[in-house]
Amino acid sequence: MPPETSADIAREERRSGLRTIRRVWPYLWPDGQVWVKRRVVIALGLLLLAKLIAVGTPILYKRAVDSLSGEVPDLMLGAVGLTIAYGLARLMTVGFQQARDGVFARVGQRALRQLALETFTHIHRLSLRYHISRKTGGLSRIIERGVKGVEFLLRFLLFSVGPLIIELTLVAAVLFFLFDVWYLAVVVLTIALYVWFTFKVTEWRVRLRRTMNQQDTDANQKAIDSLLNFETVKYFGAEAREAARYYAAMKGYERAAVKTATSLAMLNFGQSFLITTGLVIVMVMAATGVQNGSLTVGDFVMVNAYMIQITMPLNFLGTVYREIRQSLVDMGEMFDLLDSPRDVTDKPGAPAIAVAGGVVAFDDVRFGYDPERPILKGVSLEVGAGQNVALVGPSGSGKSTIGRLLFRFYDVGGGAIRIDGQDLRDVTQDSLHGAIGVVPQDTVLFNDTIRYNIAYGRDGATEDEIVAAAQAAQIHGFIESLPDGYDTQVGERGLKLSGGEKQRVGIARTLLKNPPILLLDEATSALDTETEAEIQTALKRAGEGRTVITIAHRLSTIADADRIVVLEKGEVVEEGTHEALLARGGRYAQLWARQQADRDAA
């Protein structure tokens, strides 16, 4: 395939810009939203009035000058009256423009809110595979830039490009009818050259802007990643190393920003040169007409006023076009994000899952994060209603993958997973997630109060229900001992709490959720022995009356499970009770003996 040329790239950018404009249009003219359309129509009406008055204002200025010079006396209003009328016309122009902005404000803000919500919701519905491959800092920056561009793009598409064309057309018509075709020719040529130069240079600047955005995203991601890993940075004395990484990223941004600023200076000078040249030519023509008596001084002033009136929106055109193209780039990145396919989707008309007993069955399940590297190679097992089944095995055996497939973070590559006979792919994800409670190895908390984090288990939970969940998780006493009690702030990711305290909060919010199926994903492996024993008691209470699947590293924590399933290299190699597996002297017995030896050695 031949390499892309600059023309191919420009063509692709135009297609991308048109796609973005088509995506934005429904927010400006939404179906079924009469009040939005009414505001848009009113804003356009105010805009048209402002432009008509603006184009007629220089005529009042001309008549006032002619009246004052005595060349063409105005018997109706007089010089003073014309001057007052001129001032009122300018005031009305500004007044209609500001009224237009006020009427349109709600439309723009509504669009911004809806698009931000749509993007936020879509990101949460993307698969775990997507989020693992993305960088949070870069993702947040794309959303931030894209959403900020919405109101700007809507406002200027509606109130700048179209109105500018209307104003230029009206001014050109006035110059043609009141003067002659040469004035019109100079104005049209000036505008054409200006627009061509602006568009050409701006297209080049857009590519520079894209590079600058990439550098900005990279620097922001490195900063957030470093701050999220604050403790790790401290442990390894890597402050200088992190500063050097951030400095290198910012240096790349600096180079891109300098190029962007330099190109802007070049664009501004070129625009000024073209506009000034056109202005001077027209004014020379008008001055010649005054000298030979074919024009009045008022005509000279009016021509000057019209050229200035053209100059201002043309200068604005440069800014608007640059900003629109830059907004299209920013929003294009966000719409690319919105167009990211969802790996896991509900079937059309899928019903909610109906959990009666809570029987979980894995039938010849096959899966791999990479097709070339299978993780599960035909796993079949069944967890009976109300049973506690433990999954054990060495690292990489597929234990945690089974948990992710059960929660349907991914779809199986082969076979099926069923709950009470219902294939997980045939029911809605929301209902499935509501039926399964997960206590992970490392519970991550929101930077809010303990009450908020426990209440997160079920929307609308009462205070009594929150306290009851905390008591069942054996953390109520600790919370009560804190100066702020349940209003205690837990800090970023819950760092103000110990590992055991965080796990208890996580158990409490899972209990508040009250799911029929409980998944314990190495929920105590990161804790010390004493804390682990306390958490185990809370977990046993949490599992009462539920189907429990425990993914365990420490075999001592699952010795009393109803059944233990041993995985190795993505296959079930053994299963049975703790005593039966030890008596068999197979793989489980080897793992048990090794852990006991490690504990004795410690």
Side-chain angles (χ1 to χ4, degrees), residues 426-449:
D426 295 334
V427 298
T428 62
Q429 294 177 71
D430 288 344
S431 65
L432 174 65
H433 296 164
I436 302 173
V438 181
V439 180
Q441 175 180 354
D442 180 23
T443 295
V444 178
L445 304 181
F446 291 95
N447 189 5
D448 210 301
T449 64

Side-chain angles (χ1 to χ4, degrees), residues 148-355:
K148 281 183 177 179
V150 176
E151 186 187 11
F152 177 89
L153 192 62
L154 288 176
R155 181 184 297 277
F156 284 97
L157 279 176
L158 186 62
F159 295 143
S160 294
V161 179
L164 176 58
I165 294 172
I166 293 171
E167 185 167 6
L168 292 177
T169 302
L170 291 173
V171 170
V174 169
L175 291 176
F176 175 73
F177 287 109
L178 295 186
F179 298 94
D180 62 49
V181 70
W182 292 108
Y183 286 86
L184 177 61
V186 172
V187 169
V188 170
L189 181 61
T190 300
I191 293 173
L193 288 173
Y194 181 95
V195 171
W196 174 82
F197 175 77
T198 299
F199 285 10
K200 276 290 185 183
V201 176
T202 302
E203 289 295 334
W204 169 53
R205 294 194 68 248
V206 164
R207 289 192 286 275
L208 294 178
R209 168 70 178 223
R210 182 176 288 110
T211 302
M212 189 175 75
N213 280 354
Q214 291 169 349
Q215 295 293 340
D216 177 48
T217 298
D218 181 57
N220 187 65
Q221 182 273 322
K222 283 182 169 58
I224 290 179
D225 196 36
S226 180
L227 293 174
L228 288 176
N229 290 279
F230 172 79
E231 290 186 66
T232 304
V233 174
K234 288 293 184 183
Y235 292 151
F236 293 93
E239 293 92 338
R241 197 186 319 165
E242 289 299 310
R245 286 179 71 230
Y246 184 66
Y247 175 77
M250 287 302 296
K251 195 170 182 180
Y253 174 78
E254 177 189 356
R255 284 194 295 268
V258 167
K259 287 182 180 179
T260 302
T262 304
S263 65
L264 176 61
M266 171 184 165
L267 177 60
N268 287 338
F269 178 79
Q271 289 172 334
S272 296
F273 174 79
L274 291 172
I275 285 292
T276 303
T277 300
L279 174 64
V280 169
I281 292 173
V282 170
M283 295 308 297
V284 167
M285 292 168 61
T288 303
V290 172
Q291 286 179 340
N292 62 30
S294 61
L295 296 178
T296 66
V297 175
D299 289 324
F300 178 84
V301 171
M302 183 172 68
V303 168
N304 181 65
Y306 275 126
M307 289 305 295
I308 292 175
Q309 198 160 310
I310 289 175
T311 300
M312 293 175 62
L314 275 179
N315 281 332
F316 197 49
L317 172 66
T319 302
V320 168
Y321 183 71
R322 285 196 305 270
E323 293 300 323
I324 285 178
R325 289 294 285 117
Q326 289 167 5
S327 292
L328 288 174
V329 170
D330 294 341
M331 293 181 67
E333 292 177 349
M334 186 175 65
F335 283 128
D336 286 341
L337 180 61
L338 277 171
D339 289 337
S340 298
R342 292 163 56 183
D343 294 340
V344 180
T345 57
D346 292 341
K347 288 183 177 179
I353 193 169
V355 181

